[in-house]
């Protein structure tokens, strides 16, 4: 067995064209999931039994089902539902043409990542001593302002390793978006391979691209963690 | 009367921590609350700042009467802006420098302009001898230094009364005096303070009024000299004998 290095080189560059989709999907999902996850974590900790059970149920549902199943479910259910809703509302649009698969992928991964981050932020919020909130209140600040200036920044520093984990998992997880015909890194590699059956070469390319991306992300988080943790005592 | 607190009651589960505690504080008073552990001193103090919700009790403060059990959010916010609290374990904001620890409350709590807050904060840090550590994070300060920053944070907003909850109990013995020194200076300047403390020397020298609490009630109160030299109640006498054995050895012999 011999590897077609020429093909590998060409495809390696080609596969990067999918990186834009992968990264914008990741960025979009994080943009929604980080604030939402923080909010749900705070709700889970401070709300009454009913609301906090609802959050717990959602987290447990997402964690308890394979993501591939969530993708297939959303992709076969959501477009038909939206279409039916559009028709019922008397709109003469074809949802199947109007909404790109990218957006369905965004929905699935947002639901998934939000649930994971809710747990990450819940544990980081409980790591902040109660005295910080009490000090904020006795200084005349509202609970909201104390969260904003004191508790969230500290919790974020604690949450960074978990957040890095979730980001890297998300980048890798979006490779499943090819199931929804989203042209991400994985999909570009698969399509390139299918012309001449150079699957092994294409997969190695995809492998390398993910490795490079995830390494850069981890380095980025390491820098961020060093910056956000300046207030901590050096060990 | 600056602060008049009446009939505070508080239960934790089925334990009555505060049975019926009342206290009057005049402007310029330094009230020391002493007593054995578990007597409810800290809980009483926390009820005044609404860090614990009392089950009953009233407070006249700055010309308004409010319920310690059911004050509105607005009333609570108003009381907290006119008081300050110094905690046993300092509770400095871990992600803020010493200076920011003082300014953040002034700016986001009291609505002070940033420039002015910085000036006020520096003056407060100067007063507790911490101006040269203004840019240090709490993790890089000793316990005594942290507590002095916490006191700067408390005095910066010029509160009508400062509540101290065992401010030296978490400190290493050699760091206690630097904090007590700052508190004595505040007392001499006429700052109104309510201090829960185990430092009998401080209570005796700096307090204008001493309250002895045990088992959720005020057993005895009076001027510092009265309480320390001629306690009327047996319970007070036993406590002082136990905590100041040398000074009371003579009394025991008689």
């Amino acid at each position: 067995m011999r590897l077609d290095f020429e093909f590998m080189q060409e495809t390696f560059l080609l596969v990067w064209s999918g990186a834009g989709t992968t990264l914008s999907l990741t960025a979009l999902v994080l943009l929604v999931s980080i604030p939402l996850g923080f909010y749900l974590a705070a709700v889970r900790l401070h709300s009454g039994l009913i609301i906090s059970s609802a959050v717990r149920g959602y987290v447990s549902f997402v964690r308890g089902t394979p993501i591939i199943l969530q993708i297939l479910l959303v992709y076969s259910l959501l477009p038909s539902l939206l279409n039916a809703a559009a028709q019922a509302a008397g709109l003469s649009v074809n949802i199947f043409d109007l909404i790109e698969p990218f957006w369905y992928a965004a929905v699935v991964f947002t639901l998934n990542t939000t649930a994971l981050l809710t747990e990450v932020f819940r544990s980081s919020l409980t790591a902040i001593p109660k005295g910080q909130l009490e000090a904020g209140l006795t200084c005349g600040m509202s609970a909201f302002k104390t969260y904003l200036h004191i508790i969230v920044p500290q919790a974020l520093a604690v949450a960074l390793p978990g957040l890095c984990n979730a980001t890297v998992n998300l980048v890798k997880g979006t490779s499943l978006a090819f199931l929804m015909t989203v042209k991400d890194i994985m999909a570009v590699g698969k399509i390139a391979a299918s012309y001449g059956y150079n699957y092994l070469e294409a997969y190695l390319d995809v492998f390398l691209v993910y490795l490079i991306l995830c390494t850069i992300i981890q380095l980025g988080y390491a820098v961020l963690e060093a910056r956000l943790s300046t207030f901590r005592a050096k060990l | 009367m600056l602060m008049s607190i009446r009939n505070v009651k508080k239960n934790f589960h089925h334990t009555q921590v505060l049975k019926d505690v009342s206290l009057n504080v005049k402007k310029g008073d330094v009230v020391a609350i002493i007593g054995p552990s578990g007597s409810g001193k800290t809980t009483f103090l926390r009820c005044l700042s609404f860090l614990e919700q009392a089950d009953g009790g009233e407070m006249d403060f700055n010309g308004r009467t409010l319920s310690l059990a059911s004050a509105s959010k607005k009333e609570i916010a108003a009381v907290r802006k006119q008081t300050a609290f110094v905690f046993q374990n300092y509770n400095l904001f871990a992600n803020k420098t010493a200076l920011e620890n003082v300014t953040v409350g002034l700016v986001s709590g009291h609505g002070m302009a940033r420039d002015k807050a910085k000036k006020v904060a520096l003056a407060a840090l100067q007063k507790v001898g911490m101006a040269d550590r203004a840019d240090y994070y709490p993790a890089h300060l000793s316990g005594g230094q942290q507590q002095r920053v916490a006191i700067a944070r408390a005095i910066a907003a010029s509160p009508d009364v400062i509540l101290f909850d065992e401010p030296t109990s978490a400190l290493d013995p050699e760091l206690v005096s630097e904090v007590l020194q700052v508190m004595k200076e505040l007392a001499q300047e006429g700052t109104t303070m309510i201090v829960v403390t185990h430092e009998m020397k401080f209570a005796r020298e700096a307090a204008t009024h001493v309250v002895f609490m045990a088992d959720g009630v005020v057993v005895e109160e009076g001027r510092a000299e009265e309480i320390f030299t001629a306690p009327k109640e047996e319970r007070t006498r036993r406590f002082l004998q136990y905590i100041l054995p040398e000074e009371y050895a003579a009394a025991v012999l008689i």
Side-chain angles (χ1 to χ4, degrees), chain B residues 63-132:
Chain B
R64 93 172 84 191
T65 300
L66 42 94
S67 157
L68 290 174
S70 60
S72 68
K73 275 192 171 174
K74 222 174 145 184
E75 288 173 320
I76 293 175
V79 170
R80 284 177 177 159
K81 278 186 187 156
Q82 290 156 13
T83 58
F85 203 101
V86 175
F87 296 87
Q88 181 176 353
N89 52 359
Y90 339 126
N91 284 344
L92 288 184
F93 304 127
N95 60 325
K96 301 278 178 197
T97 62
L99 181 69
E100 291 166 342
N101 258 280
V102 186
T103 55
V104 69
L106 296 176
V107 174
S108 342
H110 294 263
M112 196 182 280
R114 217 164 270 279
D115 296 350
K116 191 181 170 204
K118 198 176 166 187
K119 273 188 206 130
V120 172
L122 275 173
L125 287 174
Q126 185 82 50
K127 189 156 193 179
V128 299
M130 288 297 295
D132 57 332

Side-chain angles (χ1 to χ4, degrees), chain B residues 10-235:
Chain B
K10 173 74 183 170
N11 297 325
F12 283 122
H13 304 292
H14 296 295
T15 320
Q16 241 189 324
V17 183
L18 296 175
K19 285 170 187 156
D20 190 16
V21 180
S22 300
L23 178 69
N24 288 315
V25 183
K26 290 196 298 288
K27 196 171 178 338
D29 270 357
V30 177
V31 178
I33 304 180
I34 60 172
S37 302
S39 57
K41 313 177 295 285
T42 290
T43 306
F44 175 67
L45 202 68
R46 288 170 60 84
C47 284
L48 304 184
S49 242
F50 299 93
L51 295 176
E52 304 287 351
Q53 190 182 23
D55 296 320
E58 278 192 333
M59 176 164 78
D60 294 338
F61 179 47
N62 268 348
R64 93 172 84 191
T65 300
L66 42 94
S67 157
L68 290 174
S70 60
S72 68
K73 275 192 171 174
K74 222 174 145 184
E75 288 173 320
I76 293 175
V79 170
R80 284 177 177 159
K81 278 186 187 156
Q82 290 156 13
T83 58
F85 203 101
V86 175
F87 296 87
Q88 181 176 353
N89 52 359
Y90 339 126
N91 284 344
L92 288 184
F93 304 127
N95 60 325
K96 301 278 178 197
T97 62
L99 181 69
E100 291 166 342
N101 258 280
V102 186
T103 55
V104 69
L106 296 176
V107 174
S108 342
H110 294 263
M112 196 182 280
R114 217 164 270 279
D115 296 350
K116 191 181 170 204
K118 198 176 166 187
K119 273 188 206 130
V120 172
L122 275 173
L125 287 174
Q126 185 82 50
K127 189 156 193 179
V128 299
M130 288 297 295
D132 57 332
R133 295 282 191 276
D135 295 326
Y136 281 52
Y137 285 102
H140 300 129
L141 298 172
S142 74
Q145 292 173 327
Q146 288 190 56
Q147 194 60 299
R148 284 192 280 150
V149 172
I151 293 173
R153 180 171 74 175
I155 59 177
S158 328
D160 295 310
V161 51
I162 305 179
L163 312 174
F164 291 81
D165 180 18
E166 302 190 21
T168 56
S169 297
L171 294 172
D172 290 336
E174 75 270 22
L175 301 176
V176 169
S177 65
E178 67 185 60
V179 172
L180 288 182
Q181 190 52 42
V182 169
M183 290 172 63
K184 272 186 192 160
E185 281 163 26
L186 291 179
Q188 278 155 14
E189 289 165 17
T191 313
T192 313
M193 302 160 48
I194 305 177
V195 187
V196 170
T197 187
H198 289 296
E199 295 293 334
M200 294 304 137
K201 197 162 172 287
F202 171 81
R204 190 167 183 168
E205 289 168 9
T208 54
H209 194 80
V210 174
V211 176
F212 174 67
M213 270 180 79
D215 301 322
V217 294
V218 173
V219 175
E220 185 168 356
E221 60 179 308
R223 287 192 302 110
E225 272 318 295
E226 284 167 20
I227 299 286
F228 282 101
T229 56
K232 292 189 192 73
E233 299 292 329
E234 173 61 24
R235 188 87 172 76

Side-chain angles (χ1 to χ4, degrees), chain A:
Chain A
M1 192 200 76
R2 291 185 53 196
L3 290 175
D4 183 344
F5 283 108
E6 201 176 321
F7 172 83
M8 255 186 100
Q9 266 176 18
E10 282 166 24
T11 312
F12 182 74
L13 298 174
L14 186 69
V15 168
W16 278 104
S17 70
T21 309
T22 296
L23 289 178
S24 49
L25 189 57
T26 303
L28 178 69
V29 168
L30 285 179
L31 215 59
V32 179
S33 291
I34 289 174
L36 196 59
F38 228 114
Y39 177 72
L40 290 181
V43 162
R44 167 105 152 72
L45 287 173
H46 299 298
S47 292
L49 193 65
I50 296 172
I51 299 175
S52 108
S53 305
V55 174
R56 194 149 59 177
Y58 159 63
V59 170
S60 145
F61 172 80
V62 168
R63 279 202 299 207
T65 52
I67 188 160
I68 194 157
L69 199 63
Q70 295 166 14
I71 289 171
L72 294 173
L73 206 63
V74 167
Y75 196 46
S76 48
L77 205 62
L78 201 54
S80 317
L81 279 179
L82 285 175
N83 204 43
Q87 272 170 5
L91 298 170
S92 60
V93 291
N94 188 344
I95 292 290
F96 300 105
D97 291 340
L98 190 70
I99 301 179
E100 296 275 335
F102 177 87
W103 298 103
Y104 297 118
V107 169
V108 178
F109 288 110
T110 302
L111 287 174
N112 208 282
T113 308
T114 302
L116 296 181
L117 289 183
T118 299
E119 286 301 277
V120 169
F121 290 137
R122 185 172 67 91
S123 68
S124 66
L125 280 172
T126 47
I128 309 305
K130 198 165 158 256
Q132 296 284 305
L133 176 62
E134 291 184 346
L137 295 176
T138 55
C139 284
M141 290 194 276
S142 62
F144 175 78
K145 289 227 165 124
T146 309
Y147 261 84
L148 187 68
H149 294 297
I150 310 299
I151 295 173
V152 169
Q154 289 181 46
L156 209 55
V158 177
L160 273 181
L163 198 57
C164 175
N165 224 344
T167 307
V168 169
N169 275 340
L170 181 59
V171 168
K172 294 184 294 184
T174 55
S175 64
L176 288 169
F178 80 89
L179 286 170
M180 297 189 239
T181 71
V182 174
K183 286 205 177 47
D184 72 327
I185 296 171
M186 187 67 195
V188 174
K190 261 180 115 66
I191 292 164
S194 62
Y195 293 121
Y197 291 96
N198 304 87
Y199 280 102
L200 183 58
E201 288 90 341
Y203 286 157
L204 283 173
D205 281 334
V206 171
F207 184 90
L208 274 176
V209 169
Y210 275 115
L211 199 61
I212 293 168
L213 278 183
C214 289
T215 306
I216 294 172
I217 289 169
Q218 290 177 74
L219 286 174
Y221 270 102
V223 171
L224 200 62
E225 200 178 332
R227 286 197 56 158
L228 282 185
S229 307
T230 43
F231 64 83
R232 292 189 187 162
K234 291 191 179 56
L235 294 176

